[in-house]
Amino acid sequence: IPNGVDCELFRPATRTPGEGGWRLIYSGRYDPAKGLDELLQALQGLRAEGRDVHLDLVGGGATALRNDFPERAAQLGVADRVRFIDEVPWQQMPALFGAADIFVLPSHSEGLPLSLLEAFACGLPVVTTRCGGPEEVVDASMGRLAEPRDVPGLQAALAATIDDYGSYDRGHIRRVAERRFDYRAVARRIHSVYEEACVGRSR
């Protein structure tokens, strides 16, 4: 049974994809294990291709980890395209997702993170890695998968998602989230498991 997301709170926005440049969003810890260095390198590569791409990194204050990523972004020449947004109340996350076109999670290892499900609920195509959990839920209709720590592969997956953006049905992505990951549906599944277990014990 997966994590659950509030599909009433997390909803698709009305942003026109690519308007004012393509906007990527990451939500999570500022942790090297989340693949942020690889993501900044991929952003550098996308800019070298002449693509107008911007990146929001949300969640820096969630841990006491040292944040060297602003310096790394400057070193790679992409500081003007990256916003470092500190940890925010979860009620503010839908607006940040609503300002984005693509959710990206380039982790080295993951289960099934809530941020991925929140992106689905907002109808965002995703680019993530085959790092444990994401490959169980991300198919070609939802986004693309790259290998962990593979900068060229991540860059190519992001470029392909931008180039083929019109092939994604954001309504479909949203419907999958409602059917599989809305917390009400998840609660019903949990209730069913407990009910079955209780009936089994009473026999």
Side-chain angles (χ1 to χ4, degrees), residues 90-171:
W90 61 272
Q91 297 94 333
Q92 295 179 21
M93 286 304 302
L96 291 169
F97 279 116
D101 301 307
I102 300 167
F103 175 75
V104 58
L105 183 69
S107 298
H108 301 168
S109 178
E110 284 285 356
L112 186 58
L114 184 57
S115 59
L116 186 66
L117 307 184
E118 291 168 347
F120 287 159
C122 292
L124 292 181
V126 304
V127 173
T128 184
T129 50
R130 296 182 182 88
C131 61
E135 60 265 41
E136 296 180 6
V137 297
V138 177
D139 61 24
S141 70
M142 310 287 280
R144 281 180 165 81
L145 293 161
E147 296 301 322
R149 300 181 175 88
D150 179 4
V151 174
L154 179 63
Q155 179 181 330
L158 288 166
T161 303
I162 291 170
D163 291 342
D164 298 337
Y165 201 88
S167 68
Y168 292 103
D169 181 346
R170 294 186 55 170

Side-chain angles (χ1 to χ4, degrees), residues 23 30 55-58 79-85 96 99:
R23 303 210 68 93
Y30 288 1
L55 171 64
D56 286 345
L57 297 171
V58 185
D80 61 325
R81 295 301 179 99
V82 183
R83 286 200 307 169
F84 292 89
I85 302 172
L96 291 169

Side-chain angles (χ1 to χ4, degrees), residues 10-44:
F10 289 87
R11 306 182 65 87
T14 57
R15 169 178 162 77
T16 301
E19 187 175 46
W22 292 95
R23 303 210 68 93
L24 315 178
I25 187 170
Y26 160 89
S27 173
R29 302 189 308 274
Y30 288 1
D31 186 336
K34 293 290 187 178
L36 296 188
D37 190 82
E38 291 92 331
L39 178 53
L40 292 174
Q41 292 182 64
L43 182 66
Q44 179 192 44

